[in-house]
């Protein structure tokens, strides 16, 4: 049985934070604010995978009140979700995501981000779709107050599984 899930996340841009997207550190004057490394792209993909499994969201599995996840590299969330998929005898078919950021230009980093996300999930980079777009200067994203990401994921689960 093939299942699909959707994920969305947004984080504020703040001074004094590193910008990490898809597990890749990207030079930029501001970075995303949050409890972990605030990797908005990985968070959206994590929620898409958890949604495909019919599980609770990323905040349930990795609460921002847990000091273990303070400044944690979000790639470990994907590794943990990959483990849950295998436990359910499932197989991730693919993930696909879009980052919405006015700045910086992400095209030069897309390949590295796909590699990192694929490695964390045990997926070939060819099963990881990734695009970046601006918000055409509109709204909070356009004013560079934050960065958003949306994702879908598809998982094959055995028939009769929950
Ligand atoms: Mg988040």
């Amino acid at each position: 049985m093939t299942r699909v899930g959707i994920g969305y996340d947004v984080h504020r841009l703040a001074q004094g934070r590193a910008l990490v997207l898809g597990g890749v550190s990207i030079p930029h004057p501001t970075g995303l604010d949050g409890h972990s490394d605030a990797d908005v792209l990985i968070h959206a993909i994590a929620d898409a995978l958890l949604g495909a499994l019919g599980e609770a969201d990323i905040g349930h599995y990795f609460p921002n009140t847990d000091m273990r996840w303070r400044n944690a590299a979000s790639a470990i969330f994907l590794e943990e979700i990959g483990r849950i998929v295998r436990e359910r005898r499932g197989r991730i078919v693919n993930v696909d995501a879009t980052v919405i950021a006015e700045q910086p230009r992400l095209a030069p980093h897309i390949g590295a981000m796909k590699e990192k996300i694929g490695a964390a999930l045990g997926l070939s980079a060819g099963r990881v779709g990734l695009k970046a777009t601006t918000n055409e200067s509109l709204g909070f994203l356009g004013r560079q107050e934050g960065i958003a990401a949306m994702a879908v994921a598809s998982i094959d689960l055995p028939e009769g599984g929950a």
Side-chain angles (χ1 to χ4, degrees):
M1 166 176 54
T2 301
R3 306 267 293 252
V4 297
I6 184 172
Y8 171 81
D9 196 22
V10 60
H11 280 262
R12 279 175 195 276
L13 282 163
Q15 301 287 339
R17 293 277 301 184
L19 177 60
V20 182
L21 287 172
V24 175
S25 292
I26 295 170
H28 195 57
T30 55
L32 294 173
D33 202 11
H35 181 69
S36 63
D37 63 3
D39 190 327
V40 68
L41 170 57
I42 285 185
H43 294 183
I45 293 171
D47 263 348
L49 289 163
L50 289 169
L53 290 170
E55 295 284 344
D57 69 11
I58 186 174
H60 172 84
Y61 279 92
F62 311 103
N64 63 11
T65 48
D66 189 331
M67 287 312 286
R68 268 185 304 170
W69 314 125
R70 179 119 181 89
N71 294 321
S74 294
I76 62 176
F77 302 161
L78 291 186
E79 289 166 13
E80 174 63 13
I81 292 166
R83 197 189 58 73
I84 296 169
V85 172
R86 287 190 295 278
E87 209 172 76
R88 299 265 299 263
R89 292 185 297 123
R91 187 181 65 92
I92 301 167
V93 179
N94 73 307
V95 299
D96 185 29
T98 298
V99 181
I100 306 147
E102 206 63 34
Q103 289 285 338
R105 214 173 91 77
L106 296 178
H109 307 286
I110 293 281
M113 290 191 270
K114 285 171 75 158
E115 290 285 343
K116 283 267 189 182
I117 293 161
L121 290 171
L123 275 184
S124 65
R127 289 175 181 259
V128 180
L130 184 56
K131 295 86 60 195
T133 186
T134 70
N135 215 41
E136 292 286 341
S137 302
L138 294 167
F140 70 93
L141 294 171
R143 291 189 298 269
Q144 300 180 49
E145 292 168 10
I147 291 178
M150 54 182 78
V152 292
S154 173
I155 299 177
D156 268 338
L157 283 180
E159 286 294 340

